[in-house]
Amino acid sequence: MRQYSADLTPPWKKPKAAPEVPAEPGLVVEEPGTGFCGAVIRCEAGTVTLEDRFGKHRVFPLEPRGFLLEGRVVTLVKPAPGPRRPARTASGSVAVPGARARVARAGRIYVEGRHDAELVEKVWGDDLRVEGVVVEYLGGVDDLPAIVEEFGPGPDARLGVLVDHLLPGTKEWRIAQSVTSEHALVVGHPYIDIWEAVKPACVGIEAWPRVPHGQDWKTGVCRAVGWPENTGAVWQAILARVASYKDLEPELLGRVEELIDFVTASGAA
């Protein structure tokens, strides 16, 4: 008697084929079995190596339907040889090849200082241009009330502000509270200066040094580390070492993403 092997699984119960996605370096995916989320750093011999935001590496097999990409089940495959476009921007967002900058929104993001603006531009610049968000810098928090009054935040023109070393009870904190409203959001990171938001390992040191109170922080850092006391040149060297969001501390990443979400929220022009 001839033997037949039939698949009696109803069609609606069979798993749908998952799209195949090349495991390009920089692609951020999640392995659902472990919950490990990270960027692809290499793909070889039927495996893919992921690196999370803390620098930890994990190796996983390239199995069908083995990963989540932006919440969707996908099958990672080895990339075809040859030059490829980066799958992600420096901020970790999906790259949009050939996208034109959007006409600038009425809303704005202000950051405290030129160095802050340069760092935000380097890591989030692609995202901001797609969203049409302009970043400007203010000389200090003391200028904030006048800037907010002149700007006149509203439903179609939201204002987001990033402040250095914003701690409860300080003068800066009281100023921030005084201008915060439904259409104006002021957030801060815990670092004395934006330099400190760059991971120490990124610039080749074990930790950012403690600088005695009353001494210029940047100058004190340069002296302690043995860098030249030309803080402008040192900053450009630091900025050159920052390649992506992975080189920045989570406390800064969260605050910038919060401001971008606020300014681009539904209803904001």
Side-chain angles (χ1 to χ4, degrees), residues 144-204:
L144 192 52
I147 288 175
V148 174
E149 182 178 2
E150 181 180 358
F151 184 84
D156 298 325
R158 290 186 165 192
L159 180 64
V161 183
L162 178 68
V163 178
D164 293 343
H165 206 224
L166 189 62
L167 302 177
T170 61
K171 179 191 74 172
E172 292 79 7
W173 183 82
R174 289 191 292 271
I175 292 174
Q177 290 293 302
S178 72
V179 301
T180 297
S181 68
E182 181 182 359
H183 305 300
L185 175 65
V186 182
V187 300
H189 56 72
Y191 307 112
I192 295 173
D193 188 272
I194 198 67
W195 290 20
E196 203 175 10
V198 178
K199 290 182 178 179
C202 177
V203 294

Side-chain angles (χ1 to χ4, degrees), residues 36-83:
F36 189 88
C37 182
V40 174
I41 60 172
R42 73 177 64 90
C43 180
E44 55 190 6
T47 65
V48 62
T49 303
L50 305 182
E51 179 184 58
D52 70 8
R53 67 193 307 173
F54 303 107
K56 183 178 180 180
H57 291 188
R58 292 282 297 273
V59 180
F60 297 100
L62 289 176
E63 296 180 342
R65 303 175 58 85
F67 297 88
L68 297 177
L69 174 61
E70 297 181 342
R72 297 183 300 114
V73 177
V74 298
T75 297
L76 290 187
V77 296
K78 189 173 182 178

